[in-house]
Amino acid sequence: MNAEVLIRGGLLADGTGAPLRPADVAVSGGRVVVLPASPDDGTGGSGATREVVDATGSVVAPGFIDVHTHSDAVTLLGERAWELAVAPVRMGVTTEICGNCGSGLFPGLPERLAEMRGSSRVTFGGQVPIFRDFEGFAEAHRAAPRSNHLSSLVGHGTLRAGVVGYADRPASPRELDLMCGLLGDTLEAGATGLSTGLIYTPGTYGGTDEVVALAAVAARYGRPYVTHLRDEMARVEEALEEAVLIARRSGAALHVSHHKTAGRHAWGRTERTLARIAGLRADGMDITCDVYPYTEASTSLSAMLPPWANDGGTRALLDRLKDAGQRELMRHAIADGVPGWENTVGNGGWDRISVACAPRNPAVEGRTIAELAGDPVDAAAELLLAEDGEVTIISHSMREDDVRRVLASSFSMIGSDGVPKPGHPHPRLAGTFPRVLGRYVREQGLISLEAAVHKMTGMAAARFGLRDRGVLRDGAHADLVVFDPATVADGATYTDPLLPPSGLSLVMVAGEVAVRDNAVTSARPGRIVTP
């Protein structure tokens, strides 16, 4: 047949979880045609095909869909962030879903946008705009060419900042109506769903009723409610029940972000949380989760402080950190706990919190807060002040048995939770998907290759309504990856977090070759995709 690219001789993992089968895949006009495996008669059988790819010994799969990223702004930062921006596509990710954990780049009322930009710098690692609406966000990305596709949730924290501001108070009825209206507008325009980050300010200031009202808007559009639970540590089961209540009252499908039971008081509780989710599914509830294959988490250093420390946004936090009396209050809050607060340090200790990204003080990257000079709260405060609030940390908080249980569950999909900020970001940004295929499929046999690919592709596309993606069938979008199941593995480490994976020979995005033999090509076919 006539085609632009013909991939011959491989085993097809079509994204549905069906057994591998020999098949050829043709790419024409940005779409896929699946063909019977053709014999190698020495002629190539390629007709007028521009390029024939020999995939003998390899698996041909749909391009991976990363359901949980924080890549909202990285391509808007220009060439200085290029290595960070292309890390996902180098590991086979052809579509990223951003706007997670309640944080994104839209929407907001015009009078709130300037204030919001200060916090966006801390979150996204540079001077990036906040957009009034989804179309502004999409237009900016159309002007900043990218290697893979991007889809975005609407972040509750951003929505709240864009209407209410950063104050610790309930939204008024009028403000909640405005939030619901903005959310409806963005979903109508193409946003993928609603996300919350209920440990982060200002999202943590929103009560259950507020989130129910917003999730009901998502439900009307058939979009999921995606949540970083209010607690993933000692109160994880209680936090899961809040999410279930929100889903039931709103009618929205529920997706639990990066499901984990972190900190010594929660280790082992995945036995109960996963059983609870399985029971809800058996009773007919639409609930899923995602997971990354590491025992370390990553977030902002400011999230290690009690919520009231961040009341009013980044500038207010920095002012408090200059006050020795305020630091003492923070020290006591960490030691004694605050009702309703996920106390990461109290559940683990400063010796389990290491600095990942501190752009102005790179010498401290890789060191724990406990290893810095003096009292840990003072050390954290001085580092935040020196970095103008912009510090990312890695928290050594999970156990391998919990990670394995979530990975093996039938309702989990894969999300890197990648944070593309300069310095030493968590290696999940560049290693998540090959790590699953190498460590947990090939080496440990925890899940089958077909099941792993399904989690990365078809299951993800179905959850987020990405039509004709996540599968290899006639007419599907030509986003695909070719990898060697015998050698695929992650390369990224904590000391060298952007090292590329091995075993991926080809990544195609929209019918164009984006990665060949681990090298990113000059093609920039990525675009904003919508349900």
Side-chain angles (χ1 to χ4, degrees):
M1 67 168 294
N2 293 335
E4 291 143 22
V5 177
L6 179 64
I7 302 171
R8 300 184 65 224
L11 290 173
L12 187 70
D14 65 7
T16 68
L20 297 176
R21 70 181 193 274
D24 294 347
V25 176
V27 173
S28 180
R31 298 282 177 159
V32 161
V33 178
V34 178
L35 304 168
S38 56
D40 185 358
D41 57 7
T43 67
S46 57
T49 300
R50 185 183 66 207
E51 179 181 2
V52 177
V53 175
D54 181 4
T56 303
S58 295
V59 170
V60 184
F64 303 146
I65 298 171
D66 190 338
V67 300
H68 192 108
T69 81
H70 295 278
S71 295
D72 311 57
V74 65
T75 55
L76 304 182
L77 296 174
E79 285 300 312
R80 66 187 178 90
W82 183 83
E83 287 288 343
L84 295 163
V86 298
V89 77
R90 290 179 79 176
M91 64 173 173
V93 172
T94 57
T95 302
E96 299 182 62
I97 298 177
C98 67
N100 280 284
C101 296
S103 183
L105 296 181
F106 65 90
L109 299 176
E111 60 269 28
R112 291 283 186 191
L113 299 184
E115 179 187 24
M116 294 166 72
R117 290 189 186 105
S119 293
S120 75
R121 175 190 55 76
V122 173
T123 302
F124 298 110
Q127 296 295 335
V128 296
I130 293 290
F131 301 98
R132 181 174 179 176
D133 51 26
F134 177 84
E135 184 52 40
F137 168 82
E139 185 60 35
H141 278 280
R142 293 185 193 110
R146 51 184 301 117
S147 292
N148 64 0
H149 303 309
L150 189 68
S151 187
S152 184
L153 301 162
V154 184
H156 162 247
T158 303
L159 187 61
R160 196 174 213 277
V163 174
V164 180
Y166 294 91
D168 181 3
R169 64 171 178 81
S172 70
R174 178 180 177 276
E175 288 168 335
L176 185 54
D177 284 346
L178 283 170
M179 290 165 67
C180 288
L182 285 176
L183 175 60
D185 291 344
T186 56
L187 295 172
E188 180 74 31
T192 313
L194 169 70
S195 82
T196 56
L198 297 177
I199 74 161
Y200 300 116
T201 56
T204 190
Y205 303 146
T208 301
D209 289 344
E210 174 178 308
V211 182
V212 168
L214 293 167
V217 177
R220 288 200 296 272
Y221 285 87
R223 311 286 166 79
Y225 168 54
V226 182
T227 181
H228 178 146
L229 298 174
R230 206 176 288 270
D231 197 308
E232 297 178 314
M233 292 187 164
R235 297 171 53 246
V236 63
E237 292 172 83
E238 180 183 337
L240 177 60
E241 291 307 315
E242 181 193 27
V244 170
L245 177 65
I246 290 167
R248 282 178 167 159
R249 287 179 56 192
S250 67
L254 174 61
H255 183 81
V256 179
S257 294
H258 43 56
H259 183 43
K260 64 176 76 75
T261 53
R264 61 181 182 269
H265 301 302
W267 288 337
R269 290 204 202 176
T270 53
E271 291 185 342
R272 297 205 290 267
T273 59
L274 294 173
R276 175 62 170 147
I277 294 172
L280 291 165
R281 287 172 58 85
D283 290 339
M285 188 173 191
D286 188 355
I287 175 172
T288 53
C289 68
D290 62 70
V291 60
Y292 50 80
Y294 298 86
T295 55
E296 296 79 17
S298 183
T299 188
S300 61
L301 178 57
S302 60
M304 303 298 99
L305 303 175
W308 54 261
N310 291 278
D311 187 10
T314 301
R315 301 272 32 117
L317 167 66
L318 296 177
D319 287 341
R320 290 187 182 96
L321 292 176
K322 297 172 184 175
D323 186 324
Q326 291 289 307
R327 290 191 194 181
E328 186 64 19
L329 292 174
M330 294 177 202
R331 193 174 289 111
H332 284 295
I334 291 168
D336 300 336
V338 175
W341 173 44
E342 179 187 274
N343 186 352
T344 301
V345 177
N347 277 279
W350 287 110
D351 60 332
R352 301 180 71 86
I353 307 296
S354 59
V355 180
C357 305
R360 301 175 190 177
N361 295 272
V364 304
E365 292 175 358
R367 300 174 64 187
T368 69
I369 299 297
E371 291 172 336
L372 303 182
D375 174 82
V377 171
D378 288 334
E382 293 300 326
L383 183 58
L384 283 164
L385 287 168
E387 295 287 344
D388 206 24
E390 189 180 334
V391 182
T392 303
I393 58 92
I394 290 174
S395 170
H396 303 264
S397 59
M398 288 172 276
R399 261 187 1 195
E400 178 71 7
D401 61 333
D402 286 312
V403 174
R404 284 171 54 87
R405 283 190 201 100
V406 184
L407 273 170
S409 65
S410 62
F411 45 79
S412 68
M413 54 201 74
I414 309 303
S416 72
D417 200 6
V419 182
K421 295 176 72 173
H424 286 74
H426 195 302
R428 65 195 185 189
L429 174 68
T432 289
F433 290 78
R435 182 175 175 86
V436 172
L437 294 168
R439 177 180 175 88
Y440 293 100
V441 173
R442 183 180 63 249
E443 296 176 7
Q444 298 187 10
L446 179 67
I447 49 179
S448 70
L449 188 147
E450 294 93 337
V453 170
H454 178 54
K455 289 172 179 288
M456 299 172 175
T457 58
M459 187 190 300
R463 165 47 84 212
F464 291 95
L466 303 179
R467 296 181 300 275
D468 294 330
R469 300 186 192 277
V471 293
L472 286 183
R473 62 181 178 225
D474 291 352
H477 290 285
D479 302 334
L480 53 87
V481 58
V482 180
F483 65 90
D484 181 351
T487 62
V488 63
D490 56 312
T493 67
Y494 289 95
T495 55
D496 203 342
L498 295 181
L499 280 177
S502 57
L504 279 77
S505 59
L506 191 74
V507 181
M508 297 191 73
V509 177
E512 297 187 47
V513 176
V515 177
R516 192 190 302 275
D517 296 328
N518 283 330
V520 179
T521 72
S522 61
R524 298 291 183 268
R527 61 184 182 86
I528 296 292
V529 297
T530 61

mmCIF file with all atom_site columns, all heavy atoms in Angstrom, residues 183-204:
data_model
loop_
_atom_site.group_PDB
_atom_site.id
_atom_site.type_symbol
_atom_site.label_atom_id
_atom_site.label_alt_id
_atom_site.label_comp_id
_atom_site.label_asym_id
_atom_site.label_entity_id
_atom_site.label_seq_id
_atom_site.pdbx_PDB_ins_code
_atom_site.Cartn_x
_atom_site.Cartn_y
_atom_site.Cartn_z
_atom_site.occupancy
_atom_site.B_iso_or_equiv
_atom_site.pdbx_formal_charge
_atom_site.auth_seq_id
_atom_site.auth_comp_id
_atom_site.auth_asym_id
_atom_site.auth_atom_id
_atom_site.pdbx_PDB_model_num
ATOM 1   N N   . LEU A 1 183 ? -15.325 27.532 35.308 1.00 0.00 ? 183 LEU A N   1
ATOM 2   C CA  . LEU A 1 183 ? -15.047 26.124 35.061 1.00 0.00 ? 183 LEU A CA  1
ATOM 3   C C   . LEU A 1 183 ? -15.850 25.611 33.879 1.00 0.00 ? 183 LEU A C   1
ATOM 4   O O   . LEU A 1 183 ? -15.310 24.929 32.995 1.00 0.00 ? 183 LEU A O   1
ATOM 5   C CB  . LEU A 1 183 ? -15.349 25.305 36.314 1.00 0.00 ? 183 LEU A CB  1
ATOM 6   C CG  . LEU A 1 183 ? -15.211 23.787 36.174 1.00 0.00 ? 183 LEU A CG  1
ATOM 7   C CD1 . LEU A 1 183 ? -13.796 23.390 35.770 1.00 0.00 ? 183 LEU A CD1 1
ATOM 8   C CD2 . LEU A 1 183 ? -15.610 23.095 37.483 1.00 0.00 ? 183 LEU A CD2 1
ATOM 9   N N   . GLY A 1 184 ? -17.132 25.928 33.836 1.00 0.00 ? 184 GLY A N   1
ATOM 10  C CA  . GLY A 1 184 ? -17.959 25.495 32.709 1.00 0.00 ? 184 GLY A CA  1
ATOM 11  C C   . GLY A 1 184 ? -17.444 26.027 31.384 1.00 0.00 ? 184 GLY A C   1
ATOM 12  O O   . GLY A 1 184 ? -17.409 25.301 30.382 1.00 0.00 ? 184 GLY A O   1
ATOM 13  N N   . ASP A 1 185 ? -17.019 27.293 31.383 1.00 0.00 ? 185 ASP A N   1
ATOM 14  C CA  . ASP A 1 185 ? -16.482 27.874 30.153 1.00 0.00 ? 185 ASP A CA  1
ATOM 15  C C   . ASP A 1 185 ? -15.232 27.132 29.682 1.00 0.00 ? 185 ASP A C   1
ATOM 16  O O   . ASP A 1 185 ? -15.059 26.876 28.476 1.00 0.00 ? 185 ASP A O   1
ATOM 17  C CB  . ASP A 1 185 ? -16.142 29.349 30.371 1.00 0.00 ? 185 ASP A CB  1
ATOM 18  C CG  . ASP A 1 185 ? -17.374 30.217 30.553 1.00 0.00 ? 185 ASP A CG  1
ATOM 19  O OD1 . ASP A 1 185 ? -18.485 29.767 30.222 1.00 0.00 ? 185 ASP A OD1 1
ATOM 20  O OD2 . ASP A 1 185 ? -17.211 31.352 31.055 1.00 0.00 ? 185 ASP A OD2 1
ATOM 21  N N   . THR A 1 186 ? -14.335 26.788 30.607 1.00 0.00 ? 186 THR A N   1
ATOM 22  C CA  . THR A 1 186 ? -13.093 26.123 30.209 1.00 0.00 ? 186 THR A CA  1
ATOM 23  C C   . THR A 1 186 ? -13.343 24.688 29.761 1.00 0.00 ? 186 THR A C   1
ATOM 24  O O   . THR A 1 186 ? -12.689 24.200 28.831 1.00 0.00 ? 186 THR A O   1
ATOM 25  C CB  . THR A 1 186 ? -12.066 26.146 31.348 1.00 0.00 ? 186 THR A CB  1
ATOM 26  O OG1 . THR A 1 186 ? -12.628 25.547 32.519 1.00 0.00 ? 186 THR A OG1 1
ATOM 27  C CG2 . THR A 1 186 ? -11.639 27.552 31.673 1.00 0.00 ? 186 THR A CG2 1
ATOM 28  N N   . LEU A 1 187 ? -14.279 24.011 30.396 1.00 0.00 ? 187 LEU A N   1
ATOM 29  C CA  . LEU A 1 187 ? -14.620 22.661 29.954 1.00 0.00 ? 187 LEU A CA  1
ATOM 30  C C   . LEU A 1 187 ? -15.277 22.693 28.579 1.00 0.00 ? 187 LEU A C   1
ATOM 31  O O   . LEU A 1 187 ? -15.002 21.841 27.723 1.00 0.00 ? 187 LEU A O   1
ATOM 32  C CB  . LEU A 1 187 ? -15.533 21.988 30.980 1.00 0.00 ? 187 LEU A CB  1
ATOM 33  C CG  . LEU A 1 187 ? -14.907 21.723 32.355 1.00 0.00 ? 187 LEU A CG  1
ATOM 34  C CD1 . LEU A 1 187 ? -15.967 21.235 33.330 1.00 0.00 ? 187 LEU A CD1 1
ATOM 35  C CD2 . LEU A 1 187 ? -13.774 20.709 32.259 1.00 0.00 ? 187 LEU A CD2 1
ATOM 36  N N   . GLU A 1 188 ? -16.115 23.673 28.373 1.00 0.00 ? 188 GLU A N   1
ATOM 37  C CA  . GLU A 1 188 ? -16.751 23.844 27.059 1.00 0.00 ? 188 GLU A CA  1
ATOM 38  C C   . GLU A 1 188 ? -15.695 24.087 25.983 1.00 0.00 ? 188 GLU A C   1
ATOM 39  O O   . GLU A 1 188 ? -15.799 23.599 24.848 1.00 0.00 ? 188 GLU A O   1
ATOM 40  C CB  . GLU A 1 188 ? -17.726 25.016 27.104 1.00 0.00 ? 188 GLU A CB  1
ATOM 41  C CG  . GLU A 1 188 ? -18.447 25.301 25.804 1.00 0.00 ? 188 GLU A CG  1
ATOM 42  C CD  . GLU A 1 188 ? -19.543 24.281 25.488 1.00 0.00 ? 188 GLU A CD  1
ATOM 43  O OE1 . GLU A 1 188 ? -20.142 23.750 26.443 1.00 0.00 ? 188 GLU A OE1 1
ATOM 44  O OE2 . GLU A 1 188 ? -19.768 24.017 24.296 1.00 0.00 ? 188 GLU A OE2 1
ATOM 45  N N   . ALA A 1 189 ? -14.641 24.815 26.343 1.00 0.00 ? 189 ALA A N   1
ATOM 46  C CA  . ALA A 1 189 ? -13.600 25.157 25.378 1.00 0.00 ? 189 ALA A CA  1
ATOM 47  C C   . ALA A 1 189 ? -12.627 24.020 25.114 1.00 0.00 ? 189 ALA A C   1
ATOM 48  O O   . ALA A 1 189 ? -11.880 24.063 24.131 1.00 0.00 ? 189 ALA A O   1
ATOM 49  C CB  . ALA A 1 189 ? -12.829 26.383 25.863 1.00 0.00 ? 189 ALA A CB  1
ATOM 50  N N   . GLY A 1 190 ? -12.598 23.000 25.996 1.00 0.00 ? 190 GLY A N   1
ATOM 51  C CA  . GLY A 1 190 ? -11.740 21.854 25.707 1.00 0.00 ? 190 GLY A CA  1
ATOM 52  C C   . GLY A 1 190 ? -10.879 21.349 26.833 1.00 0.00 ? 190 GLY A C   1
ATOM 53  O O   . GLY A 1 190 ? -10.052 20.453 26.619 1.00 0.00 ? 190 GLY A O   1
ATOM 54  N N   . ALA A 1 191 ? -11.029 21.878 28.052 1.00 0.00 ? 191 ALA A N   1
ATOM 55  C CA  . ALA A 1 191 ? -10.277 21.327 29.179 1.00 0.00 ? 191 ALA A CA  1
ATOM 56  C C   . ALA A 1 191 ? -10.780 19.918 29.481 1.00 0.00 ? 191 ALA A C   1
ATOM 57  O O   . ALA A 1 191 ? -11.925 19.562 29.203 1.00 0.00 ? 191 ALA A O   1
ATOM 58  C CB  . ALA A 1 191 ? -10.407 22.221 30.398 1.00 0.00 ? 191 ALA A CB  1
ATOM 59  N N   . THR A 1 192 ? -9.914  19.105 30.064 1.00 0.00 ? 192 THR A N   1
ATOM 60  C CA  . THR A 1 192 ? -10.121 17.665 30.157 1.00 0.00 ? 192 THR A CA  1
ATOM 61  C C   . THR A 1 192 ? -10.859 17.233 31.412 1.00 0.00 ? 192 THR A C   1
ATOM 62  O O   . THR A 1 192 ? -11.376 16.116 31.474 1.00 0.00 ? 192 THR A O   1
ATOM 63  C CB  . THR A 1 192 ? -8.737  16.960 30.112 1.00 0.00 ? 192 THR A CB  1
ATOM 64  O OG1 . THR A 1 192 ? -7.979  17.514 29.039 1.00 0.00 ? 192 THR A OG1 1
ATOM 65  C CG2 . THR A 1 192 ? -8.863  15.472 29.888 1.00 0.00 ? 192 THR A CG2 1
ATOM 66  N N   . GLY A 1 193 ? -10.930 18.076 32.431 1.00 0.00 ? 193 GLY A N   1
ATOM 67  C CA  . GLY A 1 193 ? -11.594 17.719 33.667 1.00 0.00 ? 193 GLY A CA  1
ATOM 68  C C   . GLY A 1 193 ? -11.225 18.717 34.750 1.00 0.00 ? 193 GLY A C   1
ATOM 69  O O   . GLY A 1 193 ? -10.596 19.744 34.491 1.00 0.00 ? 193 GLY A O   1
ATOM 70  N N   . LEU A 1 194 ? -11.614 18.409 35.986 1.00 0.00 ? 194 LEU A N   1
ATOM 71  C CA  . LEU A 1 194 ? -11.333 19.239 37.149 1.00 0.00 ? 194 LEU A CA  1
ATOM 72  C C   . LEU A 1 194 ? -10.333 18.529 38.041 1.00 0.00 ? 194 LEU A C   1
ATOM 73  O O   . LEU A 1 194 ? -10.493 17.346 38.343 1.00 0.00 ? 194 LEU A O   1
ATOM 74  C CB  . LEU A 1 194 ? -12.623 19.493 37.941 1.00 0.00 ? 194 LEU A CB  1
ATOM 75  C CG  . LEU A 1 194 ? -12.458 20.122 39.334 1.00 0.00 ? 194 LEU A CG  1
ATOM 76  C CD1 . LEU A 1 194 ? -12.014 21.578 39.221 1.00 0.00 ? 194 LEU A CD1 1
ATOM 77  C CD2 . LEU A 1 194 ? -13.762 20.017 40.128 1.00 0.00 ? 194 LEU A CD2 1
ATOM 78  N N   . SER A 1 195 ? -9.292  19.241 38.478 1.00 0.00 ? 195 SER A N   1
ATOM 79  C CA  . SER A 1 195 ? -8.343  18.658 39.428 1.00 0.00 ? 195 SER A CA  1
ATOM 80  C C   . SER A 1 195 ? -8.334  19.447 40.722 1.00 0.00 ? 195 SER A C   1
ATOM 81  O O   . SER A 1 195 ? -8.587  20.655 40.728 1.00 0.00 ? 195 SER A O   1
ATOM 82  C CB  . SER A 1 195 ? -6.924  18.612 38.836 1.00 0.00 ? 195 SER A CB  1
ATOM 83  O OG  . SER A 1 195 ? -6.266  19.862 38.966 1.00 0.00 ? 195 SER A OG  1
ATOM 84  N N   . THR A 1 196 ? -8.029  18.747 41.815 1.00 0.00 ? 196 THR A N   1
ATOM 85  C CA  . THR A 1 196 ? -7.796  19.420 43.084 1.00 0.00 ? 196 THR A CA  1
ATOM 86  C C   . THR A 1 196 ? -6.467  18.974 43.667 1.00 0.00 ? 196 THR A C   1
ATOM 87  O O   . THR A 1 196 ? -6.018  17.850 43.441 1.00 0.00 ? 196 THR A O   1
ATOM 88  C CB  . THR A 1 196 ? -8.898  19.127 44.122 1.00 0.00 ? 196 THR A CB  1
ATOM 89  O OG1 . THR A 1 196 ? -9.023  17.709 44.299 1.00 0.00 ? 196 THR A OG1 1
ATOM 90  C CG2 . THR A 1 196 ? -10.226 19.706 43.717 1.00 0.00 ? 196 THR A CG2 1
ATOM 91  N N   . GLY A 1 197 ? -5.861  19.867 44.421 1.00 0.00 ? 197 GLY A N   1
ATOM 92  C CA  . GLY A 1 197 ? -4.681  19.563 45.221 1.00 0.00 ? 197 GLY A CA  1
ATOM 93  C C   . GLY A 1 197 ? -4.975  20.031 46.634 1.00 0.00 ? 197 GLY A C   1
ATOM 94  O O   . GLY A 1 197 ? -4.672  21.162 47.003 1.00 0.00 ? 197 GLY A O   1
ATOM 95  N N   . LEU A 1 198 ? -5.619  19.161 47.410 1.00 0.00 ? 198 LEU A N   1
ATOM 96  C CA  . LEU A 1 198 ? -6.208  19.592 48.671 1.00 0.00 ? 198 LEU A CA  1
ATOM 97  C C   . LEU A 1 198 ? -5.217  19.651 49.822 1.00 0.00 ? 198 LEU A C   1
ATOM 98  O O   . LEU A 1 198 ? -5.609  19.865 50.966 1.00 0.00 ? 198 LEU A O   1
ATOM 99  C CB  . LEU A 1 198 ? -7.407  18.702 49.014 1.00 0.00 ? 198 LEU A CB  1
ATOM 100 C CG  . LEU A 1 198 ? -8.547  18.796 47.988 1.00 0.00 ? 198 LEU A CG  1
ATOM 101 C CD1 . LEU A 1 198 ? -9.683  17.846 48.333 1.00 0.00 ? 198 LEU A CD1 1
ATOM 102 C CD2 . LEU A 1 198 ? -9.073  20.225 47.873 1.00 0.00 ? 198 LEU A CD2 1
ATOM 103 N N   . ILE A 1 199 ? -3.902  19.481 49.529 1.00 0.00 ? 199 ILE A N   1
ATOM 104 C CA  . ILE A 1 199 ? -2.883  19.787 50.537 1.00 0.00 ? 199 ILE A CA  1
ATOM 105 C C   . ILE A 1 199 ? -2.200  21.117 50.237 1.00 0.00 ? 199 ILE A C   1
ATOM 106 O O   . ILE A 1 199 ? -1.407  21.593 51.034 1.00 0.00 ? 199 ILE A O   1
ATOM 107 C CB  . ILE A 1 199 ? -1.821  18.675 50.661 1.00 0.00 ? 199 ILE A CB  1
ATOM 108 C CG1 . ILE A 1 199 ? -0.855  18.695 49.463 1.00 0.00 ? 199 ILE A CG1 1
ATOM 109 C CG2 . ILE A 1 199 ? -2.440  17.315 50.844 1.00 0.00 ? 199 ILE A CG2 1
ATOM 110 C CD1 . ILE A 1 199 ? 0.457   17.976 49.724 1.00 0.00 ? 199 ILE A CD1 1
ATOM 111 N N   . TYR A 1 200 ? -2.499  21.707 49.083 1.00 0.00 ? 200 TYR A N   1
ATOM 112 C CA  . TYR A 1 200 ? -1.811  22.924 48.652 1.00 0.00 ? 200 TYR A CA  1
ATOM 113 C C   . TYR A 1 200 ? -2.707  24.140 48.809 1.00 0.00 ? 200 TYR A C   1
ATOM 114 O O   . TYR A 1 200 ? -3.902  24.093 48.490 1.00 0.00 ? 200 TYR A O   1
ATOM 115 C CB  . TYR A 1 200 ? -1.384  22.806 47.189 1.00 0.00 ? 200 TYR A CB  1
ATOM 116 C CG  . TYR A 1 200 ? -0.452  21.660 46.909 1.00 0.00 ? 200 TYR A CG  1
ATOM 117 C CD1 . TYR A 1 200 ? -0.826  20.616 46.072 1.00 0.00 ? 200 TYR A CD1 1
ATOM 118 C CD2 . TYR A 1 200 ? 0.814   21.609 47.492 1.00 0.00 ? 200 TYR A CD2 1
ATOM 119 C CE1 . TYR A 1 200 ? 0.024   19.551 45.813 1.00 0.00 ? 200 TYR A CE1 1
ATOM 120 C CE2 . TYR A 1 200 ? 1.676   20.549 47.240 1.00 0.00 ? 200 TYR A CE2 1
ATOM 121 C CZ  . TYR A 1 200 ? 1.272   19.526 46.397 1.00 0.00 ? 200 TYR A CZ  1
ATOM 122 O OH  . TYR A 1 200 ? 2.115   18.473 46.157 1.00 0.00 ? 200 TYR A OH  1
ATOM 123 N N   . THR A 1 201 ? -2.116  25.236 49.255 1.00 0.00 ? 201 THR A N   1
ATOM 124 C CA  . THR A 1 201 ? -2.858  26.488 49.270 1.00 0.00 ? 201 THR A CA  1
ATOM 125 C C   . THR A 1 201 ? -2.887  27.068 47.860 1.00 0.00 ? 201 THR A C   1
ATOM 126 O O   . THR A 1 201 ? -1.917  26.904 47.105 1.00 0.00 ? 201 THR A O   1
ATOM 127 C CB  . THR A 1 201 ? -2.198  27.503 50.218 1.00 0.00 ? 201 THR A CB  1
ATOM 128 O OG1 . THR A 1 201 ? -0.836  27.684 49.826 1.00 0.00 ? 201 THR A OG1 1
ATOM 129 C CG2 . THR A 1 201 ? -2.244  27.014 51.655 1.00 0.00 ? 201 THR A CG2 1
ATOM 130 N N   . PRO A 1 202 ? -4.011  27.700 47.461 1.00 0.00 ? 202 PRO A N   1
ATOM 131 C CA  . PRO A 1 202 ? -5.216  27.931 48.247 1.00 0.00 ? 202 PRO A CA  1
ATOM 132 C C   . PRO A 1 202 ? -6.257  26.816 48.146 1.00 0.00 ? 202 PRO A C   1
ATOM 133 O O   . PRO A 1 202 ? -7.345  26.948 48.708 1.00 0.00 ? 202 PRO A O   1
ATOM 134 C CB  . PRO A 1 202 ? -5.769  29.219 47.652 1.00 0.00 ? 202 PRO A CB  1
ATOM 135 C CG  . PRO A 1 202 ? -5.415  29.107 46.199 1.00 0.00 ? 202 PRO A CG  1
ATOM 136 C CD  . PRO A 1 202 ? -4.061  28.422 46.163 1.00 0.00 ? 202 PRO A CD  1
ATOM 137 N N   . GLY A 1 203 ? -5.921  25.713 47.457 1.00 0.00 ? 203 GLY A N   1
ATOM 138 C CA  . GLY A 1 203 ? -6.906  24.639 47.316 1.00 0.00 ? 203 GLY A CA  1
ATOM 139 C C   . GLY A 1 203 ? -7.343  24.060 48.636 1.00 0.00 ? 203 GLY A C   1
ATOM 140 O O   . GLY A 1 203 ? -8.513  23.691 48.814 1.00 0.00 ? 203 GLY A O   1
ATOM 141 N N   . THR A 1 204 ? -6.411  23.991 49.598 1.00 0.00 ? 204 THR A N   1
ATOM 142 C CA  . THR A 1 204 ? -6.747  23.406 50.892 1.00 0.00 ? 204 THR A CA  1
ATOM 143 C C   . THR A 1 204 ? -7.804  24.209 51.639 1.00 0.00 ? 204 THR A C   1
ATOM 144 O O   . THR A 1 204 ? -8.467  23.690 52.531 1.00 0.00 ? 204 THR A O   1
ATOM 145 C CB  . THR A 1 204 ? -5.474  23.265 51.753 1.00 0.00 ? 204 THR A CB  1
ATOM 146 O OG1 . THR A 1 204 ? -5.758  22.485 52.905 1.00 0.00 ? 204 THR A OG1 1
ATOM 147 C CG2 . THR A 1 204 ? -4.932  24.621 52.177 1.00 0.00 ? 204 THR A CG2 1
#
